[in-house]
Amino acid sequence: MIVDKDTVGAGAGTVSVGDVVFGGRRLVLIAGPCTVESRTQMIEIACAVKEAGAAMLRGGAFKPRSSPYAFQGLCEEGLEILAEARARTGLPVVTEVLESAQLPIVSAVADMLQIGSRNMHNSILLRDAGACGKPVLLKRGMSATIQEYLFAAEYVLSAGARRVVLCERGIRTFETATRFTLDLSAVPLLKERTWLPVIVDPSHGTGKASLVPAMSRAAVACGADGVMMEVHACPDRALCDGDQSETPEMFYNLVKELRAIAQAVGREV
Ligand code: PEP
Ligand code: MN
């Protein structure tokens, strides 16, 4: 399979998104709200996470919500706001695409396409995203085995993409004290099996803002190439995933801690 570690030569294993490189010595911190809520909210948080050390900006314009009655995202308007946030900060943007029909509009704005946990098994979307030429951030399905996850990445790669980054975001177990169980062993395992960079999302992986710093430190310590986390200026008022969102101040402090851990494992932030 293309995804297998032994199918690529030396030097591969890095994925570029503009000036940002996944899989190099420098770790990639992706931060931003779960969802784009308004122009003011997004620009404010984009400036704050950039100032604190984020290399990329996240924020969903199209949201895959469990309930059909929950806020579904600002859609096209959300994409316009993301483009403005990028213009203001220079940070490349990763945002989710929910279906193949959205690929033209989402890829017109996104620097990197996110395929979410709920869509990891959508082979049509995987193939279409892989063929569209944009880098892809492929999240692990919440109930996907490592083998199924690797097949999903293979769908994207076999459609022509070479810029694919994996993201461990927690899996379903019997445990209910956390939203998901963050499977950090997936990081070294995926790195053993594939040449793709691997990042960790401790926000969805735990569902609790208070656990995100420790799991981010652990992610860096176990070899992740980056961390993606949700940051909101006022988590109590977030339209989506407030419980797992860091404040800008928490994020700022965490970046300093990650710098120390990174140094201990031969990386930098
Ligand atoms: C997200 O990143 O906002 C998201 C919906 O993540 P996941 O697909 O991992 O649930
Ligand atoms: Mn979220």
Side-chain angles (χ1 to χ4, degrees):
M1 297 217 296
I2 307 167
V3 75
D4 292 341
K5 189 155 201 164
D6 53 12
T7 60
V8 286
T14 59
V15 164
S16 297
V17 179
D19 294 337
V20 174
V21 180
F22 290 85
R25 187 179 149 82
R26 182 169 280 273
L27 303 176
V28 178
L29 302 183
I30 307 175
C34 179
T35 181
V36 182
E37 297 171 7
S38 72
R39 178 165 272 106
T40 321
Q41 169 244 14
M42 195 65 216
I43 304 285
E44 182 189 342
I45 204 69
C47 294
V49 299
K50 167 156 188 177
E51 179 83 21
M56 278 184 74
L57 188 61
R58 63 149 290 141
F62 295 96
K63 293 303 298 176
R65 302 305 300 277
S66 300
S67 162
Y69 306 115
F71 177 59
Q72 306 284 310
L74 290 180
C75 307
E76 283 89 339
E77 189 192 347
L79 293 174
E80 283 167 26
I81 294 171
L82 284 169
E84 200 177 321
R86 171 183 43 216
R88 287 281 284 272
T89 58
L91 295 178
V93 163
V94 57
T95 195
E96 182 160 356
V97 57
L98 287 183
E99 53 169 343
S100 296
Q102 289 169 356
L103 274 168
I105 55 170
V106 177
S107 56
V109 167
D111 297 285
M112 185 178 215
L113 299 170
Q114 179 170 322
I115 297 186
S117 190
R118 290 157 187 81
N119 260 322
M120 191 217 78
H121 289 288
N122 183 344
S123 54
I124 310 287
L125 177 61
L126 295 172
R127 212 181 291 136
D128 291 344
C132 92
K134 284 277 172 177
V136 173
L137 179 64
L138 177 61
K139 300 190 89 175
R140 181 180 181 181
M142 60 184 77
S143 302
T145 63
I146 293 289
Q147 189 56 53
E148 288 165 338
Y149 191 20
L150 292 176
F151 277 134
E154 189 72 14
Y155 264 104
V156 183
L157 293 164
S158 63
R162 280 298 169 274
R163 293 184 293 167
V164 177
V165 173
L166 302 175
C167 179
E168 165 59 42
R169 49 77 72 211
I171 52 174
R172 281 253 155 87
T173 67
F174 54 80
E175 184 55 74
T176 54
T178 46
R179 185 177 180 192
F180 295 97
T181 297
L182 187 61
D183 179 14
L184 284 180
S185 68
V187 176
L189 184 55
L190 290 167
K191 289 186 143 289
E192 234 170 67
R193 298 271 300 270
T194 86
W195 52 273
L196 303 176
V198 182
I199 68 168
V200 170
D201 171 355
S203 306
H204 293 88
T206 62
K208 286 183 166 31
S210 64
L211 303 183
V212 167
M215 298 317 281
S216 302
R217 296 193 299 266
V220 172
C222 77
D225 297 302
V227 179
M228 174 160 86
M229 74 184 73
E230 292 183 337
V231 183
H232 194 284
C234 186
D236 288 348
R237 276 191 269 146
L239 292 183
C240 184
D241 287 352
D243 290 349
Q244 64 192 39
S245 298
E246 308 302 287
T247 62
E249 192 188 355
M250 289 163 90
F251 178 64
Y252 178 84
N253 292 329
L254 178 53
V255 174
K256 284 196 283 187
E257 291 174 12
L258 295 184
R259 219 160 254 150
I261 308 276
Q263 203 177 11
V265 295
R267 308 290 291 266
E268 59 190 53
V269 168

